Amino acid sequence: MVAPRLVLILGDQCSPDIAALQEADRTRDIVVMAEVAEEASYVPHHVKKIAFLFSVMRHFAEDLRADGWTVEYTKLDAPENTGSIDGELLRYATKHGATEVLATEPGEFRLIERLEDMPLDVLTFEDRRFIAGHEDFETWAEGRKQLRMEYFYRDMRRKTGLLMDGDQPEGGKWNYDHDNRKPAPDGLTYDGPMRFTPDQITQEVLQFVETRFQGSFGALRPFWFATTRAQAQQHLTRWLAEALPSFGDYQDAMLSGERFLYHSITSLYIHVGLLDPLEVCQAAENAYKSGQAPLNAVEGFIRQIIGWREYMRGIYFHEGPNYTSRNILQHDRKLPSFFWDAMTDMACIRDTVEATRDEAYAHHIQRLMITGNFALLAGIDPAEVHEWYLAVYADAYEWVEAPNVIGMSQFADGGIVGSKPYISSGNYLNKMSNYCKGCAYSVKDKTGPNACPFNTLYWHFLDRHRDRFEMNPRLAQMYRTWDRMAEDRRATVLSDATLFLDRLDEGQKV
Ligand code: FAD
Ligand code: DLZ
């Protein structure tokens, strides 16, 4: 009899189209899925993220069994659980006399290296759920001085044929970003994503996570995420009809208490394998073709998926394992405790951290221009910022989180992802949100104890990094504005910022 091979399926690989399954033989091979302490604790994950992963995994294991596969599934509390992916592979290899493992490349160098070091023959296949394979990205990147997303995105449009009119972009423009920046008017509401009642499998996971991860960050309940492909598809269908038409206009808007606005939460479902990125984009394109959604919304949405999502993955693998430790600006401040407990007088940060705590979700502009902006202006150590983002969001896996945090948000990679740091004073936040109305600080005050901290920190950042950014064409105007200010005013701005940072370092409530 031929020995079976083990087929490794990780928590974020729950798709019937995953490469390792496609290469395997269901009459011979054994699928291995394992809830393990090492994956559940390499950062202090949000409890909703853990419950989501475990529930998706358990449902997927059931689907595979129903589809004729033999599945060895280890629950986290199984007494024989070795606590790691490689440990579980070794245990099942011994049990079944297997020496070979079929795997799909994990989305993190840590695990890739772990599989490479195993005393078994591990055959790793590239993850084919992405539109750009490693070779595609490397070919695109070769010889380019700058790896700008926009040009990569155009190639992806050509490759997929999405929103293409022959070899030209639909509507005559590649990018409708300028039409995606409307502030949301007060009173705008959206029911939010489709919510699902936990079934028996999810209930069991919730009870388990509640006990085992007691004291961990985040609210476990109410738990309403889709945990099967059918549910994720239902969610997508409803989102396309109800929210996509407004997604374009209000993509960058923020409203207190409106945690999702018109965002899709598809990242959550695509990353784990419940939805396929191309299928999602084609459905959005169909909404445009049938007149149900305008071009700026559909282009904006498709750009996020075949543009930003694919580009970020390309950058992660292109830059290599040391990417997460980059710190070009040499920032070394500790992450303030309000990133965990929301105990701050800054209404925008409080609202974003509370949403993060309750939903394991915040939308892009909250991640970039509220928490990310603050961390960058305040000079927080990017490694600590990276670890926080990787822990708190249910869609956080290193391949997508690190380029967003280290690159886009913290400029710690020196400008590979972004041509300039994403920073703003309170003015931008006031324009794009209604947070400032309910804030203890005054966005109109530029100095003094009541001034919005973003106002003083903004200039403090530019001043302390003058050597690096003064010649940046996109920041030169700001340096001219700064230089035109009266000297004593500049001194006050800087001393107020320093005072604020000192209070932060002392652990005072700010
Ligand atoms: P929508 O606004 O509805 O966008 C649609 C799709 O576009 C999503 O499926 C998402 O996968 C994709 N997308 C949009 N922007 C990006 C982007 N910048 N990079 C990659 N994909 C994108 N995204 C993650 O998936 N995981 C993370 O851990 C993560 N961390 C982030 C950290 C920071 C500091 C910042 C600024 C952004 C981060 N992002 C991350 C990107 C983005 O914020 C999320 O993808 C988005 O908020 C997910 O919510 P959504 O599905 O409702 O997105
Ligand atoms: C995020 C996560 C968690 C919390 N738990 C598990 C787990 O127990 N078993 C598993 O196979 N995968 C888990 N994951 C997802 C992995 O961490 C993910 O596959 C890697 O980070 C690579 O993206």
Side-chain angles (χ1 to χ4, degrees):
M1 206 177 101
V2 201
R5 298 169 299 183
L6 303 182
V7 185
L8 174 66
I9 304 292
L10 293 166
D12 53 350
Q13 298 179 340
C14 291
S15 157
D17 298 328
I18 201 77
L21 270 185
Q22 291 192 333
E23 301 291 333
D25 174 354
R26 81 188 71 190
T27 64
R28 167 188 171 192
D29 301 325
I30 294 168
V31 173
V32 173
M33 298 182 72
E35 299 168 9
V36 291
E38 205 166 86
E39 294 312 303
S41 64
Y42 59 82
V43 286
H45 299 288
H46 194 297
V47 282
K48 253 190 185 117
K49 178 181 181 184
I50 297 176
F52 172 64
L53 252 297
F54 288 1
S55 178
V56 168
M57 288 172 71
R58 290 184 191 189
H59 280 96
F60 188 61
E62 289 298 300
D63 290 349
L64 289 177
R65 285 190 183 113
D67 208 21
W69 291 92
T70 305
V71 181
E72 286 280 20
Y73 190 99
T74 314
K75 289 188 176 169
L76 192 68
D77 58 351
E80 62 279 13
N81 191 330
T82 54
S84 67
I85 294 294
D86 45 334
E88 285 308 277
L89 285 171
L90 282 174
R91 189 164 72 79
Y92 287 121
T94 308
K95 178 175 169 189
H96 295 285
T99 56
E100 286 179 69
V101 178
L102 306 181
T104 309
E105 183 182 69
E108 207 182 316
F109 288 112
R110 175 184 60 84
L111 262 184
I112 293 175
E113 285 160 13
R114 199 55 93 75
L115 292 184
E116 281 168 0
D117 292 344
M118 285 203 68
L120 295 170
D121 292 333
V122 183
L123 209 54
T124 303
F125 303 96
E126 192 169 338
D127 193 337
R128 299 171 197 147
R129 291 176 294 171
F130 292 89
I131 292 152
H134 294 323
E135 210 180 304
D136 296 329
F137 192 86
E138 291 311 318
T139 305
W140 174 78
E142 202 180 333
R144 284 177 194 262
K145 274 203 196 118
Q146 292 184 322
L147 303 181
R148 292 288 163 253
M149 195 289 291
E150 178 62 28
Y151 298 105
F152 171 79
Y153 164 57
R154 292 179 190 181
D155 274 7
M156 292 299 102
R157 288 272 292 278
R158 292 189 191 97
K159 182 171 181 182
T160 57
L162 286 163
L163 293 182
M164 292 299 292
D165 184 2
D167 61 355
Q168 292 302 307
E170 179 72 28
K173 278 202 307 183
W174 289 103
N175 184 319
Y176 290 81
D177 200 21
H178 280 287
D179 302 328
N180 293 352
R181 295 177 187 164
K182 281 194 191 158
D186 265 345
L188 192 82
T189 53
Y190 162 55
D191 259 2
M194 195 160 175
R195 290 160 188 260
F196 298 90
T197 306
D199 65 5
Q200 183 63 30
I201 291 180
T202 305
Q203 289 290 5
E204 271 172 32
V205 169
L206 292 178
Q207 273 158 24
F208 171 67
V209 169
E210 204 150 47
T211 321
R212 172 72 180 250
F213 295 93
Q214 213 176 26
S216 292
F217 177 72
L220 181 62
R221 296 171 199 268
F223 183 94
W224 49 265
F225 292 149
T227 52
T228 63
R229 174 164 165 76
Q231 288 181 335
Q233 282 174 319
Q234 258 179 290
H235 156 74
L236 177 66
T237 304
R238 205 179 94 173
W239 181 82
L240 289 166
E242 290 183 0
L244 175 62
S246 305
F247 173 83
D249 284 354
Y250 301 119
Q251 207 174 319
D252 286 4
M254 296 172 282
L255 281 180
S256 171
E258 282 294 322
R259 292 178 164 177
F260 302 96
L261 269 182
Y262 297 103
H263 292 273
S264 69
I265 72 161
T266 48
S267 56
L268 189 66
Y269 301 141
I270 296 175
H271 297 342
V272 294
L274 297 184
L275 293 175
D276 175 73
L278 202 54
E279 143 192 60
V280 171
C281 291
Q282 282 162 349
E285 186 186 39
N286 287 340
Y288 166 68
K289 284 184 175 161
S290 60
Q292 285 162 1
L295 185 54
N296 76 317
V298 175
E299 186 281 320
F301 182 66
I302 288 177
R303 178 173 6 108
Q304 307 307 316
I305 297 183
I306 65 168
W308 281 111
R309 184 173 182 273
E310 297 280 333
Y311 166 83
M312 288 307 196
R313 176 172 184 264
I315 293 287
Y316 179 73
F317 282 100
H318 181 73
E319 290 301 314
N322 77 4
Y323 189 73
T324 52
S325 53
R326 307 240 178 125
N327 186 2
I328 198 105
L329 301 178
Q330 299 185 348
H331 283 170
D332 59 5
R333 184 159 274 110
K334 300 224 67 70
L335 190 78
S337 55
F338 58 69
F339 271 73
W340 298 104
D341 61 18
M343 295 290 280
T344 170
D345 292 330
M346 291 176 277
C348 56
I349 297 191
R350 192 172 57 237
D351 193 80
T352 303
V353 175
E354 282 174 356
T356 302
R357 177 198 64 203
D358 294 348
E359 314 286 0
Y361 178 87
H363 66 70
H364 185 67
I365 295 300
Q366 292 172 313
R367 296 187 205 196
L368 184 64
M369 297 312 293
I370 306 286
T371 38
N373 185 15
F374 181 87
L376 180 57
L377 295 180
I380 313 291
D381 180 348
E384 292 205 15
V385 183
H386 154 64
E387 184 164 314
W388 182 78
Y389 277 98
L390 189 56
V392 301
Y393 292 113
D395 60 14
Y397 303 91
E398 199 173 274
W399 65 267
V400 58
E401 174 275 338
N404 269 296
V405 173
I406 298 291
M408 181 188 269
S409 163
Q410 299 302 296
F411 203 82
D413 66 359
I416 294 168
V417 168
S419 56
K420 77 169 193 45
Y422 281 94
I423 49 171
S424 83
S425 67
N427 269 347
Y428 171 85
L429 305 181
N430 194 29
K431 189 177 120 202
M432 296 309 296
S433 80
N434 62 359
Y435 291 135
C436 303
K437 283 183 191 159
C439 187
Y441 292 103
S442 162
V443 70
K444 299 266 177 309
D445 291 3
K446 307 301 175 201
T447 56
N450 209 31
C452 166
F454 285 88
N455 287 343
T456 53
L457 290 177
Y458 178 75
W459 294 117
H460 192 274
F461 174 91
L462 285 179
D463 185 66
R464 72 179 188 267
H465 291 301
R466 182 164 202 136
D467 286 353
R468 181 172 297 279
F469 295 124
E470 188 174 23
M471 304 309 283
N472 184 313
R474 298 180 67 192
L475 288 174
Q477 176 60 36
M478 296 322 297
Y479 280 102
R480 281 199 287 276
T481 305
W482 176 235
D483 290 343
R484 274 199 303 271
M485 274 185 216
E487 202 173 327
D488 59 339
R489 185 172 172 79
R490 272 186 278 147
T492 310
V493 169
L494 293 182
S495 72
D496 280 0
T498 307
L499 215 63
F500 177 85
L501 292 172
D502 288 346
R503 291 179 58 214
L504 202 64
D505 291 342
E506 285 160 13
Q508 290 185 37
K509 184 167 184 242
V510 291

